[in-house]
DNA sequence: AATATTAGTATTATTTTTCATACTTACACA
DNA sequence: TGTGTAAGTATGAAAAATAATACTAATATT
């Protein structure tokens, strides 16, 4: 009786047959909105500096390119997270704010910020596990 | 006084000069651990079926390939989120569980699951905003 | 008349992620 | 002797994400 193909084991550990599907997992759904290299930091930035102008975000979010910024802001807008207000001025002025729905992300953003800080500390201390 | 380059406006809306840096934003740090196509659903799956065997995950997480599964599990292990227990049996048996540190992700996972569900509803209803 | 300003767009490259496929190991069982 | 099993590795191809660069509009200021 050296291996696990015996009846005892098979009966002791029946397989749990829950299915996890990309298209129905609510955590994955959230990740589709917050995922990628820039969404989280952008939401965080707008959360802290709202209303945020385009150029202001371009300067404050280090490393982002103009085209990425435009693209990511559009996607967040399409997802109903932020709103875009255009002022009919020259040169143009556009202000971004979190929508009411976007603000419902707050618990996620806050818990992620908290966790991220502790993860940093753990990494600094050598990640002994 | 048609545009915003007048003194009044410049004084009314001074630029907030907070800097958001990829490498120091704690939200981005968390995203590096949870991001990508499979991490969130995997954590969720292990969270619900722990201890989870490799082949069990391969069958329950729909669409994931064997090599992706291996790779993502290794990264989660390297990040201290999950632990891998190998049983010296033939055929092999390997069980994955969330570590104590991995369990500290629970508030994030739970708030993301909750939000994801509401987002789905909003999308179904046509996303009027 | 030339230059600066803001918030973009368009296009092409490069990098990163993900996928598909074939291969491996050690033993049990037919 | 050959086949099945679980948990992988290795390799190259394809797809997706991100970056780099150049361009635009309308007006104000110099």
């Amino acid at each position: 009786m050296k291996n696990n193909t015996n009846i005892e084991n098979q009966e002791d550990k029946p397989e749990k047959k829950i299915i996890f599907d990309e298209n129905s997992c609510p955590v994955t759904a959230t990740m589709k909105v917050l995922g990628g290299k820039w969404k989280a930091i952008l939401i965080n930035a707008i959360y802290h500096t709202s209303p945020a102008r385009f150029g202001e975000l371009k300067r404050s979010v280090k490393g982002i390119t103009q085209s990425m910024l435009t693209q990511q802001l559009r996607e967040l807008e399409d997802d109903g997270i932020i709103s875009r207000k255009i002022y009919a001025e020259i040169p143009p002025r556009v202000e971004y704010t979190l929508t009411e729905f976007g603000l419902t992300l707050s618990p996620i953003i806050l818990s992620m910020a908290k966790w991220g800080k502790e993860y940093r500390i753990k990494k600094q201390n050598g990640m002994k596990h």
Side-chain angles (χ1 to χ4, degrees), chain A:
Chain A
M1 200 119 94
K2 283 174 185 167
N3 76 24
N4 71 325
T5 58
N6 59 71
I7 290 163
E8 196 185 333
N9 247 326
Q10 286 179 346
E11 287 185 346
D12 280 352
K13 309 219 171 186
E15 179 154 339
K16 320 122 194 170
K17 32 190 120 143
I18 312 171
I19 296 298
F20 298 92
D21 182 357
E22 276 189 78
N23 300 314
S24 64
C25 172
V27 180
T28 301
T30 303
M31 284 304 303
K32 280 186 182 157
V33 176
L34 299 183
K37 188 170 180 184
W38 298 111
K39 295 269 176 74
I41 200 168
L42 271 177
I43 292 172
N44 203 221
I46 298 175
Y47 185 82
H48 286 288
T49 60
S50 179
R53 291 189 60 172
F54 183 88
E56 190 182 354
L57 287 169
K58 197 174 70 167
R59 280 184 295 278
S60 67
V61 176
K62 285 303 164 193
I64 198 167
T65 62
Q66 184 136 331
S67 35
M68 262 294 115
L69 180 55
T70 302
Q71 181 189 313
Q72 302 298 303
L73 289 172
R74 287 295 184 287
E75 289 179 14
L76 288 172
E77 197 192 354
D78 291 346
D79 284 331
I81 308 303
I82 61 175
S83 76
R84 180 164 175 268
K85 186 169 183 189
I86 306 154
Y87 293 83
E89 295 172 353
I90 295 291
R93 177 157 63 112
V94 178
E95 284 182 354
Y96 294 92
T97 24
L98 288 178
T99 60
E100 209 176 311
F101 183 61
L103 282 169
T104 65
L105 285 170
S106 304
I108 299 178
I109 298 294
L110 292 173
S111 60
M112 281 181 38
K114 189 174 175 223
W115 193 89
K117 277 173 204 156
E118 283 166 30
Y119 175 68
R120 279 254 168 67
I121 293 167
K122 199 176 187 248
K123 261 193 355 193
Q124 277 185 337
N125 293 353
M127 205 81 163
K128 43 185 186 279
H129 45 261

